[in-house]
Amino acid sequence: MKEWGSTMTNMKITTFDYSHGDYESWKLLFEYHSLYILENGKDVYIGETKDAGTRSIKHNNVKDLCCQYSFTRIHILTGKTFDETPAKHFETLLIRLMRADGKFHVINTQTEWQHYSRKNVFELCFDQVWLELEKLGLVNHKSFQSVLNLSQYKFSPNMPLTEAQCETLTSIIHTLDSEEMQPHKQGFHARPVLISGDPGTGKTVVATSLFYYLKTHEAYKDLKIGLVYAASATRAEIQEMFKSVRGLRKKDVITPISVTKETYDIIICDEAQRLRRPKNAGRFYNAKMYAANRQLGLDESCDELDWLLTCSRNLILFYDEKQSVCASDISKDSFYSRLYNRYRGIRPIVLTEQLRICAGRDYISYIYDLLYQRTSERKEFDGYEFKLFQSFDHMVQQVREKENMVGLCRLCGGYAWKWTAKENPDIPDIQIENTNIWWNKQTGGWLRNPRARKEMGSIYTLPGLDLNYAAVVIGPELYYDTAENRIKVSRSHLYDNSVKQNTNDEDLRKYILNTYGVFMTRGILGTYVYACDKNLRDYLQNYIPFV
């Protein structure tokens, strides 16, 4: 028997030789509930137990999942304050982290996320625990915070789901199995499933989990299934994540126009609010849309939603109207008019649990209420850094400090400055106070690029993605008219022609306000805000803590 360990604050990791089978001889410093990691150099199994020796004997039963993997070592984590409830919570946490880390193949079957709100010694020193795991060769990343920032952690279909997400997934599958999406009589159309929810309610995780389930389940694996993203930035993140998931491929994640080339048994479309129509989509893409419509025998005015409806037997849409930010996006009225048509209809599902933003569910509605001037009440959000800055330089300093601490902290802003660096990369696009900033030089994969820390992300880069801290720069295209007490848009300060051309003032205002609503709902731990217009800062000061 081999035994070695590393002692932390009220915690100890002890490693034993698992292959010899002398489990009852194991001696632990703390005889409490424990986590354990079984490994063979390639595969791991993570569990929790009150008696590691007895549990190991059960794992050797031929009917047990672990029996076929020939595990050679067991690493046992235990401590004075480690009882059953936190042990179950951190079992699922460690499964998620080690899957995303990628050093080992985690064989645990998918389990429901265990919620546990009370902070204990184990959680407070988890960064220390992770360092010990790295020293033992059990993980690749030296910091578990860097794993939390990975798309493989946030969006992987291998991750345990919350109870609400499980219910949504189960409901969708039951709807597919029951054939209730199919026309119930002649002359009617197939009925899509429409999953709606605010930013941060887990729509993307449900979408990727559903796709993975269907692609790997015996009953569906021979079906033609597509996972569609209209926005290139999110599509790139999901494609990158799929490369690390067994049974999935990068090319499984497709564009809307790819759908027109084949007929699909099932199409899953995440971020359906970003599906486009042939308006302000650019001359080149408009031409491609017209060609696709002709190919499908559709009218020239038809759009990407029509393609999905035409080319799928079963359609599942994830939708949030508040995140529609471009004139090329299909309008809410047009979107709903086809789904709620008396010859079609939908199977509705609503996600309400806030999973991204530490401020909680009320924060989302508060952001849109203050942007659309629908509230006179100021709200506070305990444990969430929500700040309005008087100085842009100060905000930049703060967000860079946060980047050094937790990573995934970025500046983001509306298209209120010309992209001058496109012609001359040495000239900054944005100059505010004493700080020079460049627009993001790439769309897909921008968050993974370390040089992006000195760049400003646009609305074409960040929708659907998470930040730890979002530093939102409200440009001069948005200002507060003190005479009318109304937030307005200045067309002369807006440089996104795809949004402002052929768009009336009220629709333009909606797109710009939604743009900042998207930015202000990206931050998991905090949102920093700076407004270029002083009158707008004065208005926001009534609703956001001022520094």
Side-chain angles (χ1 to χ4, degrees):
M1 179 189 75
K2 296 179 181 179
E3 178 181 349
W4 62 96
S6 178
T7 304
M8 293 155 283
T9 306
N10 295 321
M11 283 295 303
K12 185 177 177 66
I13 300 176
T14 309
T15 301
F16 297 98
D17 190 326
Y18 183 79
S19 58
H20 287 178
D22 52 347
Y23 311 131
E24 295 182 357
S25 66
W26 295 347
K27 302 296 182 183
L28 296 170
L29 178 63
F30 304 118
E31 295 295 338
Y32 299 97
H33 225 86
S34 64
L35 283 182
Y36 62 91
I37 303 170
L38 286 169
E39 54 101 349
N40 58 15
K42 180 178 65 174
D43 310 290
V44 298
Y45 177 86
I46 300 161
E48 58 83 24
T49 183
K50 288 186 287 187
D51 188 334
T54 301
R55 190 75 185 94
S56 296
I57 293 171
K58 292 180 179 179
H59 279 317
N60 279 308
N61 189 299
V62 292
K63 295 182 180 180
D64 192 279
L65 172 67
C66 294
C67 187
Q68 60 185 290
Y69 285 91
S70 302
F71 289 118
T72 56
R73 297 201 299 174
I74 185 170
H75 311 271
I76 303 174
L77 294 76
T78 191
K80 290 181 178 179
T81 59
F82 209 33
D83 53 30
E84 184 173 4
T85 303
K88 289 182 181 296
H89 174 75
F90 287 105
E91 175 191 20
T92 51
L93 175 61
L94 200 55
I95 289 170
R96 293 188 68 179
L97 287 165
M98 291 190 70
R99 275 185 175 145
D101 175 78
K103 175 78 180 263
F104 286 86
H105 170 225
V106 180
I107 70 166
N108 295 70
T109 55
Q110 192 158 330
T111 56
E112 186 176 307
W113 179 255
Q114 301 288 334
H115 290 280
Y116 181 65
S117 58
R118 180 171 60 87
K119 300 289 183 182
N120 57 48
V121 173
F122 181 79
E123 184 165 3
L124 294 175
C125 71
F126 196 77
D127 54 347
Q128 212 176 347
V129 173
W130 188 264
L131 284 172
E132 296 301 318
L133 295 178
E134 194 270 335
K135 290 176 183 177
L136 290 169
L138 295 173
V139 295
N140 282 323
H141 293 77
K142 292 185 179 294
S143 164
F144 86 97
Q145 180 62 52
S146 64
V147 181
L148 297 179
N149 293 339
L150 295 173
S151 293
Q152 290 91 324
Y153 179 83
K154 297 173 183 293
F155 303 126
S156 174
N158 283 320
M159 298 308 178
L161 301 177
T162 68
E163 183 177 353
Q165 290 173 323
C166 283
E167 288 176 357
T168 298
L169 187 63
T170 302
S171 180
I172 296 169
I173 292 167
H174 285 173
T175 303
L176 283 168
D177 290 344
S178 68
E179 298 263 320
E180 67 173 275
M181 297 171 69
Q182 298 311 303
H184 67 282
K185 63 181 180 180
Q186 190 172 3
F188 281 71
H189 306 297
R191 184 172 70 148
V193 175
L194 181 65
I195 302 101
S196 57
D198 283 340
T201 51
K203 297 184 295 297
T204 295
V205 175
V206 175
T208 58
S209 297
L210 173 64
F211 183 80
Y212 178 75
Y213 177 86
L214 296 173
K215 290 290 285 186
T216 57
H217 195 281
E218 189 69 28
Y220 310 97
K221 67 178 185 179
D222 295 327
L223 298 181
K224 183 71 176 175
I225 307 170
L227 178 59
V228 175
Y229 283 89
S232 60
T234 316
R235 186 169 61 247
E237 288 298 312
I238 302 302
Q239 287 174 332
E240 184 68 19
M241 181 268 290
F242 269 30
K243 287 162 57 177
S244 66
V245 179
R246 294 189 182 189
L248 299 181
R249 303 167 299 173
K250 178 181 177 180
K251 66 179 183 179
D252 289 330
V253 187
I254 59 177
T255 63
I257 204 164
S258 300
V259 172
T260 64
K261 300 173 184 177
E262 301 182 66
T263 299
Y264 287 77
D265 296 297
I266 303 170
I267 289 178
I268 303 164
C269 178
D270 192 15
E271 298 184 348
Q273 70 276 357
R274 299 309 315 277
L275 292 172
R276 286 165 290 186
R277 54 180 170 166
K279 176 185 177 182
N280 290 19
R283 183 179 300 175
F284 176 72
Y285 193 69
N286 280 343
K288 293 183 73 172
M289 293 188 78
Y290 296 143
N293 285 333
R294 289 193 296 271
Q295 174 191 328
L296 295 173
L298 299 174
D299 184 86
E300 195 174 72
S301 64
C302 288
D303 52 38
E304 292 179 342
L305 176 60
D306 292 308
W307 301 348
L308 303 189
L309 292 167
T310 300
C311 297
S312 64
R313 184 170 175 267
N314 298 279
L315 178 59
I316 299 151
L317 300 165
F318 292 79
Y319 185 75
D320 179 8
E321 64 185 64
K322 293 189 297 301
Q323 297 191 65
S324 176
V325 295
C326 295
S328 58
D329 295 345
I330 299 170
S331 69
K332 179 183 74 172
D333 291 342
S334 177
F335 191 91
Y336 282 137
S337 67
R338 278 165 285 173
L339 297 190
Y340 285 96
N341 183 292
R342 67 178 297 267
Y343 294 104
R344 186 182 303 282
I346 65 164
R347 167 69 164 83
I349 298 174
V350 179
L351 285 166
T352 59
E353 183 182 16
Q354 181 53 238
L355 302 172
R356 174 193 295 150
I357 302 169
C358 293
R361 181 180 171 186
D362 289 345
Y363 176 82
I364 303 292
S365 57
Y366 184 68
I367 289 299
Y368 284 89
D369 283 346
L370 74 87
L371 288 173
Y372 278 91
Q373 298 177 262
R374 297 188 296 240
T375 184
S376 59
E377 178 187 359
R378 177 173 176 145
K379 292 185 178 180
E380 303 289 340
F381 300 94
D382 293 338
Y384 190 75
E385 285 195 59
F386 189 31
K387 298 178 180 179
L388 175 68
F389 284 78
Q390 171 71 28
S391 164
F392 178 73
D393 290 344
H394 185 201
M395 184 176 79
V396 170
Q397 177 191 353
Q398 290 280 293
V399 77
R400 287 177 177 170
E401 288 177 3
K402 293 296 184 182
E403 169 66 20
N404 292 332
M405 292 171 59
V406 297
L408 216 60
C409 304
R410 297 289 184 271
L411 289 165
C412 47
Y415 207 161
W417 295 271
K418 290 182 180 179
W419 188 8
T420 55
K422 186 177 183 180
E423 304 298 331
N424 189 338
D426 295 328
I427 299 177
D429 299 298
I430 302 152
Q431 294 177 291
I432 304 175
E433 294 178 4
N434 298 307
T435 303
N436 295 328
I437 302 291
W438 283 258
W439 280 119
N440 56 275
K441 295 181 176 64
Q442 66 188 97
T443 301
W446 181 67
L447 288 181
R448 298 190 300 274
N449 187 341
R451 288 176 294 180
R453 299 171 186 177
K454 296 184 179 181
E455 297 175 356
M456 178 114 82
S458 73
I459 194 59
Y460 302 106
T461 309
L462 286 167
L465 305 180
D466 294 339
L467 297 171
N468 285 323
Y469 285 84
V472 182
V473 185
I474 303 179
E477 88 282 28
L478 209 60
Y479 70 98
Y480 189 83
D481 186 326
T482 55
E484 297 185 22
N485 293 321
R486 180 174 170 82
I487 298 175
K488 292 184 177 181
V489 174
S490 168
R491 285 180 178 267
S492 63
H493 286 97
L494 181 63
Y495 294 94
D496 191 346
N497 289 329
S498 66
V499 174
K500 71 177 180 179
Q501 286 182 351
N502 306 314
T503 305
N504 63 47
D505 289 347
E506 198 52 40
D507 282 345
L508 183 62
R509 181 175 183 268
K510 179 189 71 174
Y511 294 137
I512 302 305
L513 292 179
N514 281 359
T515 291
Y516 286 107
V518 168
F519 289 150
M520 294 170 73
T521 55
R522 296 302 96 196
I524 298 170
L525 304 175
T527 298
Y528 297 161
V529 182
Y530 175 82
C532 292
D533 179 66
K534 182 184 182 304
N535 291 333
L536 183 55
R537 279 204 306 275
D538 291 341
Y539 163 75
L540 294 174
Q541 189 175 346
N542 297 315
Y543 303 98
I544 306 174
F546 195 55
V547 293

